Amino acid sequence: MSDLGHVLVLAGGLSYEREVSLRSGRRVSEVLRAVGIDVEARDTDASLVPYILADPPDAVFVTLHGGAGEDGAIRSILELLNVPYVGANPDACRVAFDKPTAKAVVRSVGLRTPASVTLPKETFHDLGATAVLGRIVEHLGLPLFVKPARGGSALGASIVRTAEELPAAMVGCFAYGDTALIERYVEGVEVAVSVVDLGNGPIALPAVEIVPDEGVYDYAARYTAGHTEFFAPARLSAKAAAACAETAVTAHTALGLRDISRTDLIVDASDEAHFLEVNVAPGMTETSLLPMAAEAAGQDLGDLCRILLQNAASRFHA
C-alpha cells in the first residue's frame, strides 16, 4: 500500500497521439490501482483546472504524448497550480521535444547523432523545393530519414532511399508539423533505452530491440499487437549494450531530464550507438517499450510508477 492520498493521471489531449495517450493513461491507472494507489484519470479539458483547485492531488502522472504533453505546456500549468508531477520540468521538456535542439545538445556532450538538416515549410516553399531538396541529397547522401521536428509515434516519418522519394516524404512530414528534420539514415539495429531515476540517480533499463514485420517501425507497427517483434533485453554485444546504456543516461542528464525518459538509438555494424531522439513521456501501453524494459529488469511497473509519484511528492514538499 502507499502513503499517497490520491493520484491524478493525465491522458488524452488534442494531439495526433491522443488515442495512444488514452491507452497509456489506462495502463498506468491499472498498474497503480494494483499496488494500492487511489487513482483518477482525467483529460486536459476545461474542467481540469477547477478539478485540481478543488481537490489538489498528491502527485500527477503525465501520460500525454505529443504537443502540450511533451513540450512543457501542461507541466507549466501544473506548476502554476502548485501540484507535484512525475517527469521533467517545462524548460527541459521544451529542449528535448524539439528534435534538432536535442540533437545539438547531445552532440555538444560528445554523443553520436546522424548528420541532419532542419527545414521549415516556409523555406521549403520560398526557396524552391527542387533546388533545396537537391542540395540536401548532395550534402547528406542517401538513404535519408524524414520526420517532423516535433512530435512522436512516427507520424509523418518515412525512409527515403531515392531522390525521387524525397518530395513525397516532405509533404507527408509537413502534414504533421511545420518543420522537417532530414537525417542521414543509419543502417543497424533499432533499440530503445528507458532511463529511470528512483531516487539514486538515473539508470538505464535493459535495451529493447525493435524488429518490425514490414521493416519500418511506423505508427501501425508501434501500436498494433503482432506487427513488431521485440527482444528485451536486446540481442546486442556487451560492448553495444553498454554503449546504449551510457548514451541514454548521458542524453537524459545533458538535457536536464528528470525521473523518466526513453532514448531511441541505432546500433551500427561497429557496435556504435547513434542517438536519434528522446521522449520525456514514454508510451505506457501494452506494446510500449518502457514497460517491456521494466519487465526485463525484473521491475514491477506499478511499483516503478508508485515510487516515481512518491519521489515527485517528496521533492515538492522538500
Side-chain angles (χ1 to χ4, degrees):
M1 299 298 288
S2 168
D3 55 359
L4 291 166
H6 83 285
V7 163
L8 177 63
V9 173
L10 290 182
L14 296 177
S15 80
Y16 293 114
E17 299 173 74
R18 173 178 173 80
E19 291 305 315
V20 178
S21 172
L22 290 170
R23 287 171 56 186
S24 286
R26 283 194 295 269
R27 180 83 185 280
V28 170
S29 298
E30 289 168 1
V31 299
L32 284 172
R33 291 187 184 109
V35 294
I37 305 292
D38 177 20
V39 179
E40 180 164 3
R42 294 188 72 94
D43 210 331
T44 53
D45 55 26
S47 69
L48 180 62
V49 171
Y51 167 81
I52 291 176
L53 289 173
D55 186 16
D58 290 293
V60 177
F61 203 111
V62 181
T63 61
L64 297 161
H65 307 318
E70 296 183 65
D71 67 1
I74 285 294
R75 296 162 199 248
S76 293
I77 299 300
L78 294 175
E79 294 199 350
L80 287 174
L81 295 171
N82 213 32
V83 294
Y85 58 88
V86 171
N89 67 35
D91 287 343
C93 286
R94 280 187 280 272
V95 172
F97 186 59
D98 187 79
K99 295 180 178 67
T101 304
K103 282 168 65 72
V105 170
V106 302
R107 187 183 291 113
S108 74
V109 295
L111 298 184
R112 291 178 180 81
T113 187
S116 63
V117 172
T118 302
L119 189 62
K121 184 189 297 185
E122 293 81 3
T123 305
F124 178 71
H125 288 301
D126 293 349
L127 298 185
T130 301
V132 171
L133 296 184
R135 291 295 296 169
I136 288 173
V137 172
E138 182 178 333
H139 177 66
L140 294 178
L142 291 166
L144 298 168
F145 196 83
V146 178
K147 58 188 175 183
R150 309 175 90 212
S153 292
L155 293 167
S158 58
I159 297 175
V160 173
R161 298 197 179 275
T162 68
E164 291 73 23
E165 295 173 352
L166 186 53
M170 297 296 292
V171 171
C173 177
F174 287 137
Y176 290 94
D178 292 332
T179 302
L181 175 63
I182 306 106
E183 288 183 315
R184 182 177 295 148
Y185 182 70
V186 178
E187 299 280 358
V189 179
E190 187 169 1
V191 299
V193 180
S194 298
V195 172
V196 296
D197 185 346
L198 300 182
N200 295 309
I203 61 168
L205 298 179
V208 178
E209 180 182 349
I210 303 157
V211 187
D213 289 347
E214 302 298 324
V216 180
Y217 194 43
D218 57 14
Y219 186 89
R222 287 166 188 254
Y223 301 114
T224 307
H227 280 218
T228 300
E229 191 172 7
F230 300 98
F231 296 89
R235 301 170 298 177
L236 299 172
S237 69
K239 173 188 174 184
C244 288
E246 182 179 1
T247 297
V249 171
T250 300
H252 180 97
T253 303
L255 291 164
L257 303 184
R258 189 173 65 185
D259 297 334
I260 190 169
S261 70
R262 192 198 73 230
T263 294
D264 298 336
L265 305 156
I266 293 289
V267 179
D268 66 21
S270 299
D271 279 350
E272 302 288 358
H274 299 257
F275 173 94
L276 299 179
E277 59 189 75
V278 69
N279 192 311
V280 300
M284 303 291 275
T285 74
E286 297 78 3
T287 58
S288 293
L289 304 171
L290 188 147
M292 293 182 197
E295 182 178 356
Q299 175 75 58
D300 178 78
L301 185 62
D303 284 334
L304 186 150
C305 293
R306 173 182 55 78
I307 294 168
L308 291 172
L309 286 161
Q310 290 174 325
N311 289 349
S314 297
R315 180 170 62 227
F316 173 79
H317 292 298

